[in-house]
């Protein structure tokens, strides 16, 4: 069983509001080691400087979108095994199939509850303690 | 002589982005909030219409953030630049006394969102005890607001519970220039 507090997470979203809400949900779950990035480019720089166990990334972002970030994460040996959960809008469900092709671990449709986020994380890491 | 503008009406949960100089986007607001967003460099504008569900807890806030994100992404996908976006906020009224003032929470959320995201708010008309009709010209960014004073406020309240187009009469017109 994985300890929630042991999972290091990078949240990538171009909206401060959404990053803050996701961080608050993660803290409620017990995941306190959370970093943030404002787009895929900054997310890649963060991961290169310090890998994370989990990336939670929006799809629609400037510079490098979520799909581009996913591809780069999978192509970079130090991060290729990083768990990756993609956030998407209802209209973006066709992107999920493409994300699966590039090795996404799970996806979550916005807006979502803390329980739904926890459930998606547990699908990847197993039951959290 | 200009042709009559093409009117597009949106209801709760919807958003619309247009660059047609001959189009207006309208909505009726009670405790719901609409953000009218505009990129003056492109002559592009969009409006949303949302109500935070529940008592405005974190999950309600996330719903609001998503409603704003849809509008912003809709603008950006049409070529708008985020650093040029400007907004005006409307709604958040308290139509029925005695109930939780969710309208105020909607308005406060929208103001906080714009501040946090660095999007200038050029004007707003939030709160009060009346419903509003908002008519937005997306190409110019100009907004006309009508206070709806002679209508049954319960009908607007119910329309926000079950989204549909309420039949209302109008009061004075207030202009929010582009």
């Amino acid at each position: 069983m994985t300890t929630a507090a042991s999972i290091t997470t990078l949240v990538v979203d171009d909206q401060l509001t959404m990053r803050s809400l996701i961080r608050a949900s993660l803290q409620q779950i017990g995941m306190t080691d959370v970093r943030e990035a404002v787009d895929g480019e900054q997310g890649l720089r963060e991961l290169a400087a310090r890998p994370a166990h989990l990336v939670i990334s929006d799809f629609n972002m400037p510079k490098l979108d979520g799909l581009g970030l996913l591809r780069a994460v999978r192509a970079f040996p130090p991060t290729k095994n990083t768990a990756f959960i993609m956030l998407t809008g209802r209209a973006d469900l066709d992107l999920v199939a493409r994300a699966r092709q590039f090795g996404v671990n799970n996806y979550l449709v916005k807006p979502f509850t803390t329980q739904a986020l926890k459930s998606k994380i547990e699908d990847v890491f197993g039951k959290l303690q | 002589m200009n042709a009559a503008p093409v009117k597009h009406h949106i209801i709760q949960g919807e958003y619309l982005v247009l660059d047609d100089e001959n189009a207006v986007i309208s909505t009726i607001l009670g405790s719901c909030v609409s953000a009218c967003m505009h990129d003056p460099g492109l002559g592009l504008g969009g409006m949303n219409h949302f109500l935070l569900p529940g008592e405005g807890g974190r999950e309600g806030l996330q719903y609001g953030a998503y409603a704003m994100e849809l509008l912003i992404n809709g603008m950006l996908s049409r070529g708008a630049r985020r650093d040029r976006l400007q907004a005006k906020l409307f709604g958040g009224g308290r139509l029925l006394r005695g109930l939780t003032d969710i309208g105020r929470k909607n308005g406060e959320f929208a103001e906080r969102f714009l501040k946090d995201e660095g999007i200038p708010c050029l004007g707003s008309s939030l709160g009060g005890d009346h419903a509003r009709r908002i008519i937005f010209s997306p190409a110019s960014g100009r907004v006309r607001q009508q206070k709806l004073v002679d209508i049954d406020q319960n009908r607007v309240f119910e329309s926000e519970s079950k989204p549909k187009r309420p039949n209302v009469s109008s009061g004075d017109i207030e202009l929010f220039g582009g």
Side-chain angles (χ1 to χ4, degrees), chain A residues 28-127:
Chain A
Q28 188 180 328
I29 294 167
M31 297 169 64
T32 51
D33 190 343
V34 180
R35 289 178 290 151
E36 298 177 14
V38 300
D39 57 44
E41 276 188 12
Q42 192 186 56
L44 271 185
R45 286 198 298 274
E46 283 286 332
L47 289 172
R50 184 180 146 218
H53 298 118
L54 170 65
V55 173
I56 299 174
S57 176
D58 187 23
F59 173 73
N60 273 310
M61 292 183 293
K63 295 182 182 174
L64 184 64
D65 67 16
L67 209 55
L69 174 63
L70 171 62
R71 295 179 69 173
V73 163
R74 290 288 177 259
F76 184 48
T79 60
K80 69 177 183 181
N81 294 320
T82 304
F84 200 111
I85 295 176
M86 186 81 80
L87 305 178
T88 179
R90 285 192 171 80
D92 297 330
L93 281 177
D94 58 322
L95 294 169
V96 172
R98 291 165 62 198
R100 285 207 188 284
Q101 287 181 333
F102 296 121
V104 78
N105 296 88
N106 219 327
Y107 71 97
L108 190 52
V109 177
K110 291 193 278 189
F112 51 83
T113 63
T114 298
Q115 186 54 45
L117 177 61
K118 184 181 181 186
S119 173
K120 294 287 183 178
I121 294 170
E122 288 185 330
D123 283 348
V124 178
F125 288 92
K127 189 80 176 164

Side-chain angles (χ1 to χ4, degrees), chain B residues 66-129:
Chain B
Y66 182 62
M68 294 299 287
E69 179 182 325
L70 284 177
L71 175 59
I72 292 170
N73 285 342
M75 295 282 293
L76 299 181
S77 70
R78 296 280 297 268
R81 273 180 31 192
R82 192 178 170 105
D83 62 356
R84 283 196 308 232
L85 291 182
Q86 304 171 339
K88 294 169 187 172
L89 297 174
F90 300 90
R94 187 177 195 178
L95 302 194
L96 299 179
R97 293 281 167 199
L99 295 180
T100 303
D101 193 358
I102 188 65
R104 182 175 59 79
K105 291 180 179 175
N106 281 295
E108 287 174 353
F109 164 79
E111 289 180 314
R112 176 69 187 266
F113 180 94
L114 293 178
K115 187 178 175 194
D116 285 348
E117 303 298 335
I119 298 172
C121 185
L122 300 190
S124 64
S125 175
L126 296 167
D129 57 2

